[in-house]
Amino acid sequence: MAALSHTFIKGDISMYDYLVVGAGLYGAVCCNLLHKAGKKVLLIDKREHIAGNVYTENIDGINVHKYGAHIFHTNNKKVWDYISQFAEFNRFTNSPVANFRGELYSLPFNMYTFNKMWNVVTPEEAKQKINEEKESYIREKRLERGIKEDSEFQPLNLEEQAISLVGVDIYEKLIKGYTKKQWGRDCKDLPAFIIKRLPVRFTFDNNYFNALYQGIPVGGYTKMVENLIDGVEVRLSTDYLKSKEEFDSLAEKIIYTGPIDEYFQHCLGHLEYRSVRFETEKLDIHNFQGNAAVNYTDEETPWTRIIEHKWFEFGKDSEGNDIPKTIISKEYSSEWKPGDEPYYPVNDENNNDLYKKYKCLQDKEKNVIFGGRLGEYKYYDMDAVILKAMDKVNELLN
Ligand code: UDP
């Protein structure tokens, strides 16, 4: 990686072809592809480290996911082949456990979950149970909406979508409380698409993702991002918006990956985000919970989940030795307020409408490209962010 400095030199527009604001995945992929194409690129980030929210820090041999668990998964071979050039991925498969008031269930919703919930044994029995629960719920909803018995039922919110997929019991125990804690909103006030991310399977398969490729980069995400930006000039602890004019004078084009509303000084109002706070503890024991992720799905437990970082790499350090201690992070979800890190855009109707207005302003900024979860105000997974960045650079270069 090039020397990290944050001294600012005022220059002329021809100093760089591109200024990339934000050293997260979107910014890093843009840097990599632009640099490879021979462009002069400057990457800046207001944090004192690279890698944005995928940043990992090695503490006592454990790669700690400082801004929450990131498990890379994709169905897109192009993305997988591309990103695999910068990291070797281990065989980690995400299979979180749900803890509802001390009862443990397998996630995502699959035959292990259904068996524990209802003692059903065959897929047919599980489907029948879900159908019974779902049909009586839908009957009530149809009555409420005044629509005909045989008309198609369109779930209008997360609660309706969840119950249509897995029935009432699973909704009550594994979805309702967790979602309310994560989003700070009732399931009835959240869009249906959020829950469609989760697979529902009638097989004994605890793999959380329906993805052909999955794993954790060996050596951590920070190393992967370091490899992506190899050869690119980087300035950390450098706030673009605080000295926007000077930075704009350095490059012909800007790739901005921060929050879009912040870019426009919130002139149309604030977009809403969810933020996450972590309480990380080092424990003098070998094994705290026996799994990388345990979701606390009741409403009363204040945290949404506990991550035990060592299990992303099977409890081994980089030499393959068992790690005697462990590090856990309790994750607390909160509404974003100025000064917090924004993590999740809240893609409900009001926010999406406001985003569209910002998008109109964005279209007038001819030399600025807005990208990534915050720049595009979309709940993207890592692979989607990478693909978007690859496509954008392709478009810029052609
Ligand atoms: N979800 C849930 N119970 C769980 C896990 C997830 O109800 O135990 C719901 C919740 O609404 C959440 C959504 O599924 O917002 C998507 O979960 P995912 O794990 O994909 O969220 P992320 O990892 O991005 O935080």
PDB file of all heavy atoms in Angstrom, residues 147-177:
ATOM      1  N   ILE A 147     -61.429  -7.918   0.930  1.00  0.00           N
ATOM      2  CA  ILE A 147     -61.202  -8.524  -0.395  1.00  0.00           C
ATOM      3  C   ILE A 147     -61.724  -9.963  -0.424  1.00  0.00           C
ATOM      4  O   ILE A 147     -61.864 -10.606   0.604  1.00  0.00           O
ATOM      5  CB  ILE A 147     -59.708  -8.459  -0.841  1.00  0.00           C
ATOM      6  CG1 ILE A 147     -58.791  -9.042   0.234  1.00  0.00           C
ATOM      7  CG2 ILE A 147     -59.302  -7.060  -1.218  1.00  0.00           C
ATOM      8  CD1 ILE A 147     -57.338  -9.150  -0.160  1.00  0.00           C
ATOM      9  N   LYS A 148     -61.987 -10.437  -1.639  1.00  0.00           N
ATOM     10  CA  LYS A 148     -62.646 -11.739  -1.820  1.00  0.00           C
ATOM     11  C   LYS A 148     -61.799 -12.912  -1.321  1.00  0.00           C
ATOM     12  O   LYS A 148     -60.580 -12.872  -1.364  1.00  0.00           O
ATOM     13  CB  LYS A 148     -62.949 -11.957  -3.312  1.00  0.00           C
ATOM     14  CG  LYS A 148     -64.208 -11.222  -3.751  1.00  0.00           C
ATOM     15  CD  LYS A 148     -64.753 -11.884  -5.010  1.00  0.00           C
ATOM     16  CE  LYS A 148     -64.659 -10.953  -6.175  1.00  0.00           C
ATOM     17  NZ  LYS A 148     -63.986 -11.157  -7.325  1.00  0.00           N
ATOM     18  N   GLU A 149     -62.512 -13.976  -0.884  1.00  0.00           N
ATOM     19  CA  GLU A 149     -61.890 -15.208  -0.359  1.00  0.00           C
ATOM     20  C   GLU A 149     -60.821 -15.793  -1.270  1.00  0.00           C
ATOM     21  O   GLU A 149     -59.766 -16.209  -0.822  1.00  0.00           O
ATOM     22  CB  GLU A 149     -62.974 -16.288  -0.193  1.00  0.00           C
ATOM     23  CG  GLU A 149     -63.648 -16.298   1.161  1.00  0.00           C
ATOM     24  CD  GLU A 149     -62.765 -16.935   2.229  1.00  0.00           C
ATOM     25  OE1 GLU A 149     -62.254 -18.032   1.971  1.00  0.00           O
ATOM     26  OE2 GLU A 149     -62.585 -16.321   3.303  1.00  0.00           O
ATOM     27  N   ASP A 150     -61.130 -15.795  -2.592  1.00  0.00           N
ATOM     28  CA  ASP A 150     -60.229 -16.507  -3.505  1.00  0.00           C
ATOM     29  C   ASP A 150     -59.223 -15.579  -4.203  1.00  0.00           C
ATOM     30  O   ASP A 150     -58.437 -16.016  -5.030  1.00  0.00           O
ATOM     31  CB  ASP A 150     -61.045 -17.290  -4.546  1.00  0.00           C
ATOM     32  CG  ASP A 150     -62.041 -16.377  -5.229  1.00  0.00           C
ATOM     33  OD1 ASP A 150     -62.147 -15.195  -4.819  1.00  0.00           O
ATOM     34  OD2 ASP A 150     -62.707 -16.843  -6.179  1.00  0.00           O
ATOM     35  N   SER A 151     -59.258 -14.272  -3.829  1.00  0.00           N
ATOM     36  CA  SER A 151     -58.320 -13.365  -4.519  1.00  0.00           C
ATOM     37  C   SER A 151     -56.891 -13.599  -4.015  1.00  0.00           C
ATOM     38  O   SER A 151     -56.683 -14.057  -2.889  1.00  0.00           O
ATOM     39  CB  SER A 151     -58.719 -11.910  -4.277  1.00  0.00           C
ATOM     40  OG  SER A 151     -58.666 -11.658  -2.897  1.00  0.00           O
ATOM     41  N   GLU A 152     -55.947 -13.266  -4.863  1.00  0.00           N
ATOM     42  CA  GLU A 152     -54.538 -13.493  -4.491  1.00  0.00           C
ATOM     43  C   GLU A 152     -54.153 -12.571  -3.331  1.00  0.00           C
ATOM     44  O   GLU A 152     -54.536 -11.407  -3.314  1.00  0.00           O
ATOM     45  CB  GLU A 152     -53.645 -13.190  -5.705  1.00  0.00           C
ATOM     46  CG  GLU A 152     -52.320 -13.934  -5.626  1.00  0.00           C
ATOM     47  CD  GLU A 152     -51.268 -13.320  -6.540  1.00  0.00           C
ATOM     48  OE1 GLU A 152     -51.646 -12.776  -7.599  1.00  0.00           O
ATOM     49  OE2 GLU A 152     -50.104 -13.370  -6.156  1.00  0.00           O
ATOM     50  N   PHE A 153     -53.421 -13.107  -2.358  1.00  0.00           N
ATOM     51  CA  PHE A 153     -53.047 -12.291  -1.196  1.00  0.00           C
ATOM     52  C   PHE A 153     -51.645 -11.705  -1.402  1.00  0.00           C
ATOM     53  O   PHE A 153     -50.674 -12.432  -1.556  1.00  0.00           O
ATOM     54  CB  PHE A 153     -53.078 -13.143   0.081  1.00  0.00           C
ATOM     55  CG  PHE A 153     -52.696 -12.351   1.301  1.00  0.00           C
ATOM     56  CD1 PHE A 153     -53.568 -11.411   1.846  1.00  0.00           C
ATOM     57  CD2 PHE A 153     -51.452 -12.526   1.907  1.00  0.00           C
ATOM     58  CE1 PHE A 153     -53.213 -10.664   2.966  1.00  0.00           C
ATOM     59  CE2 PHE A 153     -51.094 -11.783   3.026  1.00  0.00           C
ATOM     60  CZ  PHE A 153     -51.975 -10.850   3.548  1.00  0.00           C
ATOM     61  N   GLN A 154     -51.593 -10.394  -1.414  1.00  0.00           N
ATOM     62  CA  GLN A 154     -50.303  -9.707  -1.589  1.00  0.00           C
ATOM     63  C   GLN A 154     -49.813  -9.194  -0.244  1.00  0.00           C
ATOM     64  O   GLN A 154     -50.417  -8.276   0.319  1.00  0.00           O
ATOM     65  CB  GLN A 154     -50.496  -8.477  -2.497  1.00  0.00           C
ATOM     66  CG  GLN A 154     -50.491  -8.749  -3.974  1.00  0.00           C
ATOM     67  CD  GLN A 154     -49.104  -9.183  -4.464  1.00  0.00           C
ATOM     68  OE1 GLN A 154     -48.105  -9.039  -3.769  1.00  0.00           O
ATOM     69  NE2 GLN A 154     -49.053  -9.760  -5.655  1.00  0.00           N
ATOM     70  N   PRO A 155     -48.730  -9.747   0.310  1.00  0.00           N
ATOM     71  CA  PRO A 155     -48.235  -9.213   1.587  1.00  0.00           C
ATOM     72  C   PRO A 155     -47.794  -7.753   1.426  1.00  0.00           C
ATOM     73  O   PRO A 155     -47.051  -7.420   0.510  1.00  0.00           O
ATOM     74  CB  PRO A 155     -47.022 -10.094   1.896  1.00  0.00           C
ATOM     75  CG  PRO A 155     -47.150 -11.279   1.010  1.00  0.00           C
ATOM     76  CD  PRO A 155     -47.908 -10.849  -0.188  1.00  0.00           C
ATOM     77  N   LEU A 156     -48.303  -6.901   2.318  1.00  0.00           N
ATOM     78  CA  LEU A 156     -48.016  -5.470   2.177  1.00  0.00           C
ATOM     79  C   LEU A 156     -46.904  -4.991   3.099  1.00  0.00           C
ATOM     80  O   LEU A 156     -46.411  -3.886   2.952  1.00  0.00           O
ATOM     81  CB  LEU A 156     -49.282  -4.644   2.457  1.00  0.00           C
ATOM     82  CG  LEU A 156     -50.435  -4.835   1.478  1.00  0.00           C
ATOM     83  CD1 LEU A 156     -51.609  -3.944   1.870  1.00  0.00           C
ATOM     84  CD2 LEU A 156     -49.995  -4.520   0.047  1.00  0.00           C
ATOM     85  N   ASN A 157     -46.573  -5.816   4.079  1.00  0.00           N
ATOM     86  CA  ASN A 157     -45.507  -5.390   4.993  1.00  0.00           C
ATOM     87  C   ASN A 157     -44.742  -6.626   5.487  1.00  0.00           C
ATOM     88  O   ASN A 157     -45.080  -7.749   5.117  1.00  0.00           O
ATOM     89  CB  ASN A 157     -46.102  -4.591   6.163  1.00  0.00           C
ATOM     90  CG  ASN A 157     -47.189  -5.373   6.885  1.00  0.00           C
ATOM     91  OD1 ASN A 157     -46.991  -6.537   7.236  1.00  0.00           O
ATOM     92  ND2 ASN A 157     -48.334  -4.761   7.090  1.00  0.00           N
ATOM     93  N   LEU A 158     -43.759  -6.391   6.337  1.00  0.00           N
ATOM     94  CA  LEU A 158     -42.885  -7.495   6.758  1.00  0.00           C
ATOM     95  C   LEU A 158     -43.649  -8.565   7.539  1.00  0.00           C
ATOM     96  O   LEU A 158     -43.435  -9.760   7.358  1.00  0.00           O
ATOM     97  CB  LEU A 158     -41.723  -6.936   7.588  1.00  0.00           C
ATOM     98  CG  LEU A 158     -40.507  -7.831   7.745  1.00  0.00           C
ATOM     99  CD1 LEU A 158     -39.255  -6.979   7.910  1.00  0.00           C
ATOM    100  CD2 LEU A 158     -40.599  -8.796   8.896  1.00  0.00           C
ATOM    101  N   GLU A 159     -44.586  -8.123   8.399  1.00  0.00           N
ATOM    102  CA  GLU A 159     -45.353  -9.123   9.168  1.00  0.00           C
ATOM    103  C   GLU A 159     -46.132 -10.040   8.225  1.00  0.00           C
ATOM    104  O   GLU A 159     -46.092 -11.271   8.353  1.00  0.00           O
ATOM    105  CB  GLU A 159     -46.322  -8.439  10.143  1.00  0.00           C
ATOM    106  CG  GLU A 159     -47.171  -9.464  10.873  1.00  0.00           C
ATOM    107  CD  GLU A 159     -48.182  -8.871  11.841  1.00  0.00           C
ATOM    108  OE1 GLU A 159     -47.769  -8.358  12.884  1.00  0.00           O
ATOM    109  OE2 GLU A 159     -49.398  -8.943  11.522  1.00  0.00           O
ATOM    110  N   GLU A 160     -46.840  -9.430   7.272  1.00  0.00           N
ATOM    111  CA  GLU A 160     -47.650 -10.247   6.352  1.00  0.00           C
ATOM    112  C   GLU A 160     -46.768 -11.167   5.513  1.00  0.00           C
ATOM    113  O   GLU A 160     -47.108 -12.318   5.271  1.00  0.00           O
ATOM    114  CB  GLU A 160     -48.490  -9.324   5.454  1.00  0.00           C
ATOM    115  CG  GLU A 160     -49.518  -8.554   6.265  1.00  0.00           C
ATOM    116  CD  GLU A 160     -50.408  -7.630   5.429  1.00  0.00           C
ATOM    117  OE1 GLU A 160     -50.272  -7.600   4.185  1.00  0.00           O
ATOM    118  OE2 GLU A 160     -51.223  -6.935   6.031  1.00  0.00           O
ATOM    119  N   GLN A 161     -45.629 -10.642   5.100  1.00  0.00           N
ATOM    120  CA  GLN A 161     -44.713 -11.449   4.298  1.00  0.00           C
ATOM    121  C   GLN A 161     -44.160 -12.620   5.131  1.00  0.00           C
ATOM    122  O   GLN A 161     -44.138 -13.756   4.680  1.00  0.00           O
ATOM    123  CB  GLN A 161     -43.554 -10.572   3.810  1.00  0.00           C
ATOM    124  CG  GLN A 161     -42.538 -11.296   2.967  1.00  0.00           C
ATOM    125  CD  GLN A 161     -43.095 -11.709   1.605  1.00  0.00           C
ATOM    126  OE1 GLN A 161     -43.523 -10.863   0.832  1.00  0.00           O
ATOM    127  NE2 GLN A 161     -43.113 -13.000   1.332  1.00  0.00           N
ATOM    128  N   ALA A 162     -43.768 -12.331   6.369  1.00  0.00           N
ATOM    129  CA  ALA A 162     -43.170 -13.370   7.214  1.00  0.00           C
ATOM    130  C   ALA A 162     -44.180 -14.477   7.494  1.00  0.00           C
ATOM    131  O   ALA A 162     -43.869 -15.670   7.360  1.00  0.00           O
ATOM    132  CB  ALA A 162     -42.680 -12.748   8.518  1.00  0.00           C
ATOM    133  N   ILE A 163     -45.390 -14.096   7.862  1.00  0.00           N
ATOM    134  CA  ILE A 163     -46.388 -15.127   8.197  1.00  0.00           C
ATOM    135  C   ILE A 163     -46.773 -15.923   6.946  1.00  0.00           C
ATOM    136  O   ILE A 163     -46.978 -17.131   7.007  1.00  0.00           O
ATOM    137  CB  ILE A 163     -47.605 -14.496   8.919  1.00  0.00           C
ATOM    138  CG1 ILE A 163     -47.123 -13.923  10.262  1.00  0.00           C
ATOM    139  CG2 ILE A 163     -48.722 -15.526   9.125  1.00  0.00           C
ATOM    140  CD1 ILE A 163     -48.144 -13.188  11.080  1.00  0.00           C
ATOM    141  N   SER A 164     -46.795 -15.266   5.804  1.00  0.00           N
ATOM    142  CA  SER A 164     -47.083 -15.999   4.561  1.00  0.00           C
ATOM    143  C   SER A 164     -45.988 -17.018   4.261  1.00  0.00           C
ATOM    144  O   SER A 164     -46.234 -18.030   3.629  1.00  0.00           O
ATOM    145  CB  SER A 164     -47.152 -15.057   3.358  1.00  0.00           C
ATOM    146  OG  SER A 164     -48.073 -14.060   3.596  1.00  0.00           O
ATOM    147  N   LEU A 165     -44.784 -16.747   4.701  1.00  0.00           N
ATOM    148  CA  LEU A 165     -43.671 -17.666   4.406  1.00  0.00           C
ATOM    149  C   LEU A 165     -43.544 -18.795   5.426  1.00  0.00           C
ATOM    150  O   LEU A 165     -43.308 -19.941   5.058  1.00  0.00           O
ATOM    151  CB  LEU A 165     -42.337 -16.907   4.401  1.00  0.00           C
ATOM    152  CG  LEU A 165     -42.033 -15.982   3.224  1.00  0.00           C
ATOM    153  CD1 LEU A 165     -40.787 -15.170   3.514  1.00  0.00           C
ATOM    154  CD2 LEU A 165     -41.837 -16.801   1.952  1.00  0.00           C
ATOM    155  N   VAL A 166     -43.698 -18.465   6.721  1.00  0.00           N
ATOM    156  CA  VAL A 166     -43.367 -19.469   7.751  1.00  0.00           C
ATOM    157  C   VAL A 166     -44.427 -19.645   8.841  1.00  0.00           C
ATOM    158  O   VAL A 166     -44.211 -20.407   9.782  1.00  0.00           O
ATOM    159  CB  VAL A 166     -42.009 -19.138   8.434  1.00  0.00           C
ATOM    160  CG1 VAL A 166     -40.848 -19.439   7.518  1.00  0.00           C
ATOM    161  CG2 VAL A 166     -41.952 -17.708   8.918  1.00  0.00           C
ATOM    162  N   GLY A 167     -45.538 -18.951   8.732  1.00  0.00           N
ATOM    163  CA  GLY A 167     -46.607 -19.119   9.718  1.00  0.00           C
ATOM    164  C   GLY A 167     -46.409 -18.260  10.958  1.00  0.00           C
ATOM    165  O   GLY A 167     -45.401 -17.561  11.105  1.00  0.00           O
ATOM    166  N   VAL A 168     -47.382 -18.355  11.877  1.00  0.00           N
ATOM    167  CA  VAL A 168     -47.430 -17.447  13.027  1.00  0.00           C
ATOM    168  C   VAL A 168     -46.403 -17.794  14.101  1.00  0.00           C
ATOM    169  O   VAL A 168     -45.742 -16.903  14.645  1.00  0.00           O
ATOM    170  CB  VAL A 168     -48.860 -17.438  13.638  1.00  0.00           C
ATOM    171  CG1 VAL A 168     -48.923 -16.552  14.871  1.00  0.00           C
ATOM    172  CG2 VAL A 168     -49.864 -16.977  12.600  1.00  0.00           C
ATOM    173  N   ASP A 169     -46.243 -19.093  14.425  1.00  0.00           N
ATOM    174  CA  ASP A 169     -45.350 -19.460  15.544  1.00  0.00           C
ATOM    175  C   ASP A 169     -43.925 -18.979  15.301  1.00  0.00           C
ATOM    176  O   ASP A 169     -43.293 -18.387  16.185  1.00  0.00           O
ATOM    177  CB  ASP A 169     -45.308 -20.989  15.729  1.00  0.00           C
ATOM    178  CG  ASP A 169     -46.620 -21.532  16.268  1.00  0.00           C
ATOM    179  OD1 ASP A 169     -47.427 -20.726  16.777  1.00  0.00           O
ATOM    180  OD2 ASP A 169     -46.844 -22.756  16.149  1.00  0.00           O
ATOM    181  N   ILE A 170     -43.432 -19.245  14.123  1.00  0.00           N
ATOM    182  CA  ILE A 170     -42.049 -18.842  13.823  1.00  0.00           C
ATOM    183  C   ILE A 170     -41.957 -17.324  13.792  1.00  0.00           C
ATOM    184  O   ILE A 170     -40.993 -16.737  14.297  1.00  0.00           O
ATOM    185  CB  ILE A 170     -41.567 -19.485  12.504  1.00  0.00           C
ATOM    186  CG1 ILE A 170     -41.409 -20.985  12.747  1.00  0.00           C
ATOM    187  CG2 ILE A 170     -40.264 -18.858  12.015  1.00  0.00           C
ATOM    188  CD1 ILE A 170     -40.844 -21.777  11.619  1.00  0.00           C
ATOM    189  N   TYR A 171     -42.969 -16.695  13.232  1.00  0.00           N
ATOM    190  CA  TYR A 171     -42.978 -15.227  13.228  1.00  0.00           C
ATOM    191  C   TYR A 171     -42.878 -14.694  14.654  1.00  0.00           C
ATOM    192  O   TYR A 171     -42.046 -13.842  14.960  1.00  0.00           O
ATOM    193  CB  TYR A 171     -44.256 -14.720  12.537  1.00  0.00           C
ATOM    194  CG  TYR A 171     -44.456 -13.235  12.725  1.00  0.00           C
ATOM    195  CD1 TYR A 171     -43.613 -12.336  12.093  1.00  0.00           C
ATOM    196  CD2 TYR A 171     -45.460 -12.739  13.561  1.00  0.00           C
ATOM    197  CE1 TYR A 171     -43.752 -10.975  12.285  1.00  0.00           C
ATOM    198  CE2 TYR A 171     -45.614 -11.380  13.761  1.00  0.00           C
ATOM    199  CZ  TYR A 171     -44.754 -10.501  13.119  1.00  0.00           C
ATOM    200  OH  TYR A 171     -44.892  -9.158  13.320  1.00  0.00           O
ATOM    201  N   GLU A 172     -43.708 -15.238  15.542  1.00  0.00           N
ATOM    202  CA  GLU A 172     -43.749 -14.733  16.926  1.00  0.00           C
ATOM    203  C   GLU A 172     -42.428 -14.985  17.661  1.00  0.00           C
ATOM    204  O   GLU A 172     -41.966 -14.146  18.419  1.00  0.00           O
ATOM    205  CB  GLU A 172     -44.881 -15.398  17.715  1.00  0.00           C
ATOM    206  CG  GLU A 172     -46.294 -15.006  17.248  1.00  0.00           C
ATOM    207  CD  GLU A 172     -46.684 -13.588  17.644  1.00  0.00           C
ATOM    208  OE1 GLU A 172     -46.078 -13.028  18.558  1.00  0.00           O
ATOM    209  OE2 GLU A 172     -47.616 -13.032  16.997  1.00  0.00           O
ATOM    210  N   LYS A 173     -41.835 -16.155  17.456  1.00  0.00           N
ATOM    211  CA  LYS A 173     -40.644 -16.501  18.247  1.00  0.00           C
ATOM    212  C   LYS A 173     -39.321 -16.077  17.615  1.00  0.00           C
ATOM    213  O   LYS A 173     -38.359 -15.784  18.320  1.00  0.00           O
ATOM    214  CB  LYS A 173     -40.598 -18.022  18.500  1.00  0.00           C
ATOM    215  CG  LYS A 173     -41.614 -18.487  19.514  1.00  0.00           C
ATOM    216  CD  LYS A 173     -41.362 -19.935  19.890  1.00  0.00           C
ATOM    217  CE  LYS A 173     -42.179 -20.312  21.109  1.00  0.00           C
ATOM    218  NZ  LYS A 173     -41.904 -21.691  21.552  1.00  0.00           N
ATOM    219  N   LEU A 174     -39.266 -16.102  16.315  1.00  0.00           N
ATOM    220  CA  LEU A 174     -37.950 -15.905  15.690  1.00  0.00           C
ATOM    221  C   LEU A 174     -37.835 -14.626  14.855  1.00  0.00           C
ATOM    222  O   LEU A 174     -36.729 -14.254  14.454  1.00  0.00           O
ATOM    223  CB  LEU A 174     -37.581 -17.120  14.819  1.00  0.00           C
ATOM    224  CG  LEU A 174     -37.613 -18.488  15.528  1.00  0.00           C
ATOM    225  CD1 LEU A 174     -37.146 -19.589  14.595  1.00  0.00           C
ATOM    226  CD2 LEU A 174     -36.752 -18.486  16.799  1.00  0.00           C
ATOM    227  N   ILE A 175     -38.937 -13.977  14.572  1.00  0.00           N
ATOM    228  CA  ILE A 175     -38.867 -12.815  13.672  1.00  0.00           C
ATOM    229  C   ILE A 175     -39.303 -11.512  14.347  1.00  0.00           C
ATOM    230  O   ILE A 175     -38.588 -10.494  14.292  1.00  0.00           O
ATOM    231  CB  ILE A 175     -39.730 -13.054  12.402  1.00  0.00           C
ATOM    232  CG1 ILE A 175     -39.192 -14.263  11.638  1.00  0.00           C
ATOM    233  CG2 ILE A 175     -39.775 -11.808  11.515  1.00  0.00           C
ATOM    234  CD1 ILE A 175     -40.025 -14.704  10.459  1.00  0.00           C
ATOM    235  N   LYS A 176     -40.458 -11.563  15.015  1.00  0.00           N
ATOM    236  CA  LYS A 176     -41.082 -10.324  15.497  1.00  0.00           C
ATOM    237  C   LYS A 176     -40.160  -9.488  16.398  1.00  0.00           C
ATOM    238  O   LYS A 176     -39.894  -8.311  16.124  1.00  0.00           O
ATOM    239  CB  LYS A 176     -42.360 -10.691  16.254  1.00  0.00           C
ATOM    240  CG  LYS A 176     -43.275  -9.535  16.520  1.00  0.00           C
ATOM    241  CD  LYS A 176     -44.525 -10.072  17.187  1.00  0.00           C
ATOM    242  CE  LYS A 176     -45.383  -8.938  17.701  1.00  0.00           C
ATOM    243  NZ  LYS A 176     -46.532  -9.473  18.423  1.00  0.00           N
ATOM    244  N   GLY A 177     -39.631 -10.107  17.459  1.00  0.00           N
ATOM    245  CA  GLY A 177     -38.812  -9.366  18.433  1.00  0.00           C
ATOM    246  C   GLY A 177     -37.484  -8.918  17.840  1.00  0.00           C
ATOM    247  O   GLY A 177     -37.052  -7.776  18.019  1.00  0.00           O
TER     248      GLY A 177
END
